[in-house]
Amino acid sequence: MFTRTESFKEFIRFYPIVSIILLLNILFYLLTVLFPNSYIFERLAGVNLFIREGEVWRLATPMFMHSGFAHVLFNSFSLVLFGPALEKIAGKARFAGIYLITGISANVATLLLEPLTYTHVGSSGAIFGLFGFFAAVAYFRKDLMSREGSQIIITIAVIGLIMTFIQPNINISAHIFGFISGFLIGALSLKRNR
């Protein structure tokens, strides 16, 4: 379920939404590296003060911005590992909705809970949203995942949540509320579709 055996072309064909998100992450990262004076990063990063002043696009754009190579690599790797299984379970449109809604929810929580000077970037709020949705699948729809798959995702989600409080420079609000929003979306939709 979480191992990748497809060729590059097959991956893009089977998982177009994951592929588009990865492309956006890499594209925006490369633009900020290749054109550092273009202020792309500054215009798209989540800055709570600017969001409060009306720049509401900053609730969505930080999901595609990253603060360094290791940051974009880790989040992209997580998306490649866990995104395809959920895109397959949920379907393309629903997967895109889960990703965007949980990522925006994480950024709204960051706006409400962090100071006005707080700046944030990264797709980890949305990725934790995927973990939350997977946790709902494991709890409400055991028939959609193998027992091993459920154990893997729950273990990784728990480790991820623990690491949220241990590692420095982590947007704790985004991780927690991304996970909670993913779980709630999963609980509501999976129970209704049972």
Side-chain angles (χ1 to χ4, degrees):
M1 175 176 238
F2 300 114
T3 56
R4 305 274 48 96
T5 58
E6 310 89 358
S7 69
F8 183 71
K9 278 174 119 174
E10 289 173 331
F11 186 92
I12 292 170
R13 191 172 78 240
F14 296 154
Y15 314 111
I17 305 303
V18 170
S19 300
I20 289 168
I21 295 167
L22 287 168
L23 177 66
L24 289 171
N25 287 349
I26 293 166
L27 178 67
F28 280 115
Y29 175 71
L30 288 175
L31 286 173
T32 60
V33 170
L34 297 174
F35 305 103
N37 297 329
S38 66
Y39 300 105
I40 294 169
F41 188 89
E42 288 80 2
R43 290 183 184 131
L44 300 179
V47 180
N48 285 348
L49 177 63
F50 298 154
I51 297 169
R52 290 276 170 116
E53 291 178 346
E55 296 182 8
V56 293
W57 66 83
R58 291 177 185 267
L59 291 172
T61 54
M63 288 187 287
F64 306 103
M65 304 301 297
H66 291 84
S67 60
F69 180 72
H71 192 206
V72 73
L73 181 68
F74 182 78
N75 282 344
S76 296
F77 179 72
S78 297
L79 189 59
V80 167
L81 243 111
F82 303 110
L86 190 54
E87 186 170 340
K88 189 174 181 179
I89 290 171
K92 293 167 186 39
R94 206 157 129 214
F95 175 80
I98 293 164
Y99 190 85
L100 291 173
I101 291 168
T102 59
I104 291 170
S105 298
N107 290 335
V108 167
T110 300
L111 173 65
L112 297 174
L113 299 172
E114 301 297 338
L116 287 177
T117 55
Y118 195 79
T119 301
H120 53 98
V121 292
S123 54
S124 56
I127 290 168
F128 271 84
L130 302 184
F131 289 158
F133 194 93
F134 269 124
V137 169
Y139 187 77
F140 295 108
R141 290 294 307 274
K142 294 177 176 32
D143 58 304
L144 294 178
M145 273 176 45
S146 68
R147 182 175 175 173
E148 295 79 20
S150 293
Q151 289 173 339
I152 289 169
I153 200 69
I154 297 300
T155 302
I156 290 173
V158 168
I159 291 170
L161 286 170
I162 291 169
M163 294 304 292
T164 294
F165 295 98
I166 295 173
Q167 291 181 310
N169 301 320
I170 296 292
N171 185 344
I172 295 170
S173 302
H175 284 201
I176 291 171
F177 283 92
F179 184 87
I180 290 170
S181 64
F183 185 83
L184 291 175
I185 291 169
L188 294 171
S189 63
L190 294 166
K191 284 169 77 175
R192 189 176 63 239
N193 293 334
R194 190 163 225 164

